Amino acid sequence: MCGIVGYVGPSSALDVLLGGLKRLEYRGYDSAGISVVTNGEIQTQKRAGKLQVLIDQLSASPMADAQMGIGHTRWATHGAPTDGNAHPHNAGAEQISLIHNGIIENFSELKKKLVSEGIEFESETDSEVAAHLLASEFANTGDFEKSFVSVANALQGAFTILAINKSDPGLVMAARRNSPLVLGVGDGENFLGSDVAAFVDYTKTAISVGQDQIVKLRADGFELIDFNGNPVEHEEFKVHWDASAASKGGWESFMAKEISEEPQAVGDTLMGRLDANGDVNLSEFDGLSIENLENINRIIITACGTAAYAGEVAKYAIEQLARISVSVELAHELRYRNPVIDEKTLVVAISQSGETMDTLMAIRHASERGAKVLSICNTQGATLARESDATIYTHAGPEVAVASTKAFSAQITAGYLLALFLAHATGKTENLNQLGKELLSLPRKVKTTLEMTGDVAEFANQLKDIQSVLFLGRNVGFPIAMEGALKLKELSYIHAEGFAAGELKHGPIALIEPGQVVIVLVPAPSSAESLHAKVLANIQEINARGAKVIAIAEQGDDEVAEFAEKVFYTPKTDPLLSPVLSVVPLHIFSMELAKAKGLDVDQPRNLAKSVTVE
Ligand code: M6R
């Protein structure tokens, strides 16, 4: 949560900061602000609301440009989204300016001390304590760098802080603990950002700043030190995507663009990992030697939100193909329930951002207990990848819309690759090549599905006044039902619940009353153990009670049309692989319904894309 950008160099600081904030706005959009130093004075502008409110204010009252500065886009934790609580926070009679992402857990104790020394606070944020602490240290020592290091050591919790000082306008200081920070290495200019999107317009060379590290950033260079002031090693990496990949490129929303990229996300995730015979090659496993895998007797998949539903699909695939016991645990639950984890456990963490704090805490907990950690991650240089023994990158490209779509398709695809790899590694090779070949056809089939679901928009428009939608699925359709419900909740603010279809009679059927919309993921007629017939029976049960049934079914399944008001068909595939196809109409449905209600599909209320606090 919160997007952070810092810059020192010859370009227009206002352009760099506002451009960076625009790309980071998906991280939080409650308020935005910037600070620069011009003519030896700190200038700050900040406003509650989306970044555009700040941009409009800057047009109305322009500020002088500068060659350095810091910018922030906020997702509120402590204090409402108001102008006063917006960052940056200035202190020491406008001597310094500071921005913060995270939660300062000891802010109350620090604040009491500062108040007792006569310092007046202007906001309700935890962040403002860091600004006053820094100003007061600097007033005592006259050494900005040392004061900054001392403040980093005094704070507890999760923080990325960036600070500038009007007496040294060529310097931006930054510190990172439990919160993301990357450095962009330019030519005669350098950058800081919550992720590479902040500066990818200017440089593709980046450094992932490690845990408990401090950056001294100047135009002609930078230094990384630890919290004791000792130099630390760093490694550069290249950003593999262009700025255009993180722009709308003519689409009306990022979400529409990202749904259209689902075929490519699946294809790029498979590329180089599956040959034409369906043989899988995951060189990423180098960090986890085969001997380690042979010792594994269980897998725990951990993630949050949509990523956890991708994990549920991976569970079906791994258990079916590799016959290894898998459980899926929400990361925030796993971490705090003293789970049975040891060196025979493989923990698979799934995250688009690789910065979800709950997921990071879960893998740290697992590593401390001796487990090997494999991550499935979409973001280069992310903390999750740095802290895992091995990483399978999903190559979905930057995902900007808060609601995850193409990253979800890529995560499921990576789960299939993992299942195939584990099945090979454990000698369960029967039918694997056939499934591998079918997996290779998925990008084309996802594209066909997109073409087949052209009328979802019209249908969603007719339903725009509904109050509640239920989603039913079975086997691999169950996590897709959960995903459909989550997407609808977060985008349309409509009550939506996903259920396992078999659970219906155990309670949820009481919710069915005439007119209730129920979206049913119908298993393919060829699916294991006649689930098709069982789900059709479920449809009849809810039809009998007046429900309005919308089905997602495999092409050629004419039987379902007899019982559903509307059927969205998907191409035939192996039933295990069907989630990548059946989720497409659900993603489009949630987007179209939100649009029909006049809502912002890229930035739904109260949400942020990366949840970097627990
Ligand atoms: O970055 P992550 O994949 O770790 O994020 C996990 C969830 O916060 C995320 O999937 C969230 O549920 C999305 N907003 C769903 O669309």
Side-chain angles (χ1 to χ4, degrees), residues 304-307 350-356 359 402-404 411 486-487 490 607-611:
C304 300
T306 282
I350 306 180
S351 173
Q352 187 286 128
S353 62
E355 300 294 349
T356 300
T359 308
V402 165
S404 187
Q411 286 162 349
L486 175 64
K487 274 311 88 107
E490 68 178 334
L607 294 172
K609 187 150 185 74
S610 295
V611 183

Side-chain angles (χ1 to χ4, degrees), residues 12-27:
S12 152
L14 292 182
D15 284 355
V16 176
L17 297 176
L18 293 173
L21 290 182
K22 185 91 210 131
R23 291 199 192 289
L24 294 183
E25 202 182 8
Y26 69 86
R27 301 181 67 88

Side-chain angles (χ1 to χ4, degrees), residues 560-576:
V560 72
E562 291 173 36
F563 308 112
E565 190 150 319
K566 172 84 189 161
V567 186
F568 293 105
Y569 285 106
T570 58
K572 283 191 179 164
T573 188
D574 186 289
L576 186 63

